[in-house]
Amino acid sequence: MEVEASQNIGYACINLSLQAEKVTTNRGMIKKTFQEKGIAYASQLALKNVQDLLTIVDWNLAHGFRIFRVSSDLFPWASEYKISSLPDFSEIRATLEEIGRRPIRLTVHPGPFNHLAGQGHVLENTIKDLEYHSDVFDLMGLRPSHWNKINIHAGGTYGDKTATLIRFAQNFRLLSENLRARLTIENDDRPTLYTVTDLVPVYETIGTPIVFDYFHHSLNPGYQTEEEAFMTAYKTWDVRPVVHFSDSRQTREDPKARREAHADWLYSPVNTYGKEVDIVFEAKMKEQAVMRLTGEMTI
DNA sequence: AACCGTCAAGGTGAA
DNA sequence: TTCACCTTGACGGTT
């Protein structure tokens, strides 16, 4: 694969090489433990997670990875407290600031429980979780923009795609200014959910760029070719776009696997249609899959 | 230290 | 109607 000099490539959340040495950013606990040990223990785990994130970021830079998806599990039970109230806050903040100074494009991908078009407590939980991610980027000192995207799926359709996306756009106005400046939306992998074209009205209403996921598009193309969908998403960006790429486990590694399952490794060439984009690869073998793909990518 | 049942959240489709 | 799954398996009690 040819990679343009200014183009960034990376992977999601976990570095397998470092994880083998217990360097990880997703230390957490089950509910019972949180009830027993409270935020003092959450603080200890969060501090370790954040310190290890710095190690991973530096490893990435040393190995030529200049975009990285940060884990959403950095702060265990983040919905239950303010980060600034943690006992280790000053050390956590200092480490986050250090991370924020590194020349790497950091992004996040909050989980599937976020439904910005939801109502009642579903919407409340979603706003809380998204604001938490934005707070972390604020603490890193990252200027709010789509460069450091907070990327989510539109969520369920509630039986009516159009009406749901209108509600999504309305609820967007409930978010903080910094979060609004960072939010992006991604196309889904199932025909009942949202294609790139489905998401265009959201972009037109509230200006959230569309992250193009090649694999999801292949499973749920709607009426667009890959190139058309790529270009549709590409045009929604005000900074260099990010795309997601992965291969199917079923077609490449295990005929019995679900079609939507990601493969361990990467196989297909990425066609960026002559455009400069940053690519986040989603393969189970993480950085090792990307390094196998690109050969000697250490710069 | 290795095993394995269980684990916050919402919506979805397959079993 | 139960269950696995999704962005990203990992926790923790038991052997």
Side-chain angles (χ1 to χ4, degrees):
Chain A
M1 189 185 117
E2 295 299 318
V3 179
E4 297 292 327
S6 59
Q7 197 166 345
N8 301 317
I9 66 172
Y11 57 98
C13 306
I14 293 170
N15 179 300
L16 293 176
S17 316
L18 291 172
Q19 191 177 56
E21 300 165 35
K22 305 288 179 211
V23 175
T24 172
T25 63
N26 47 18
R27 296 173 185 85
M29 58 190 142
I30 61 173
K31 190 175 189 176
K32 185 156 83 83
T33 308
F34 181 61
Q35 285 165 346
E36 286 164 8
K37 302 190 176 180
I39 69 165
Y41 185 52
S43 181
Q44 287 176 32
L45 295 181
L47 177 57
K48 283 186 184 167
N49 284 341
V50 164
Q51 287 169 337
D52 282 358
L53 178 59
L54 177 58
T55 304
I56 294 171
V57 162
D58 283 341
W59 187 100
N60 284 337
L61 290 170
H63 292 80
F65 292 97
R66 293 188 305 269
I67 182 169
F68 183 63
R69 182 187 303 168
V70 176
S71 167
S72 292
D73 297 330
L74 226 44
F75 291 83
W77 294 94
S79 57
E80 304 303 310
Y81 53 82
K82 284 267 159 219
I83 294 176
S84 58
S85 69
L86 295 177
D88 301 288
F89 176 61
S90 62
E91 206 173 345
I92 287 169
R93 179 174 53 187
T95 311
L96 289 174
E97 285 170 353
E98 190 69 28
I99 292 165
R101 282 193 287 270
R102 295 293 194 267
I104 188 170
R105 184 176 188 177
L106 298 176
T107 70
V108 284
H109 195 353
F113 301 108
N114 286 289
H115 298 284
L116 190 53
Q119 291 164 304
H121 75 279
V122 175
L123 177 59
E124 282 175 36
N125 291 346
T126 299
I127 292 175
K128 199 182 271 187
D129 191 40
L130 296 179
E131 292 290 355
Y132 145 74
H133 284 87
S134 192
D135 288 346
V136 172
F137 278 178
D138 286 343
L139 286 166
M140 287 179 180
L142 302 175
R143 190 172 53 79
S145 82
H146 299 117
W147 184 256
N148 300 108
K149 71 184 166 68
I150 295 176
N151 178 50
I152 57 172
H153 290 270
T157 62
Y158 300 89
D160 185 340
K161 278 190 191 182
T162 308
T164 301
L165 289 182
I166 288 171
R167 214 161 55 239
F168 184 101
Q170 287 168 345
N171 291 342
F172 177 80
R173 305 186 193 289
L174 302 172
L175 308 178
S176 71
E177 187 181 352
N178 287 3
L179 174 52
R180 292 200 306 272
R182 290 174 171 135
L183 202 73
T184 63
I185 43 177
E186 177 181 339
N187 58 307
D188 288 291
D189 63 359
R190 300 211 301 275
T192 54
L193 297 179
Y194 302 96
T195 62
V196 170
T197 356
D198 287 335
L199 296 174
V200 169
V202 180
Y203 160 69
E204 288 172 343
T205 314
I206 58 176
T208 53
I210 300 169
V211 171
F212 180 62
D213 187 305
Y214 286 84
F215 183 41
H216 292 169
H217 172 83
S218 75
L219 295 168
N220 179 28
Y223 299 104
Q224 287 194 309
T225 63
E226 181 183 279
E227 178 169 10
E228 287 165 351
F230 174 94
M231 285 309 303
T232 299
Y234 179 87
K235 289 182 204 156
T236 63
W237 285 79
D238 54 355
V239 295
R240 189 192 299 137
V242 177
V243 297
H244 294 173
F245 191 91
S246 51
D247 274 301
S248 168
R249 180 170 196 80
Q250 186 190 70
T251 53
R252 295 294 184 168
E253 292 167 358
D254 177 7
K256 296 191 296 296
R258 294 166 50 258
R259 235 156 57 94
E260 306 83 21
H262 288 172
D264 289 345
W265 302 94
L266 299 161
Y267 303 91
S268 313
V270 185
N271 190 344
T272 59
Y273 301 98
K275 300 296 183 188
E276 218 171 73
V277 296
D278 291 346
I279 306 171
V280 175
F281 289 100
E282 297 170 336
K284 298 285 182 198
M285 289 309 288
K286 302 295 175 186
E287 86 286 356
Q288 296 178 22
V290 182
M291 292 173 92
R292 184 182 282 191
L293 187 72
T294 55
E296 70 308 324
M297 71 169 287
T298 305
I299 299 167

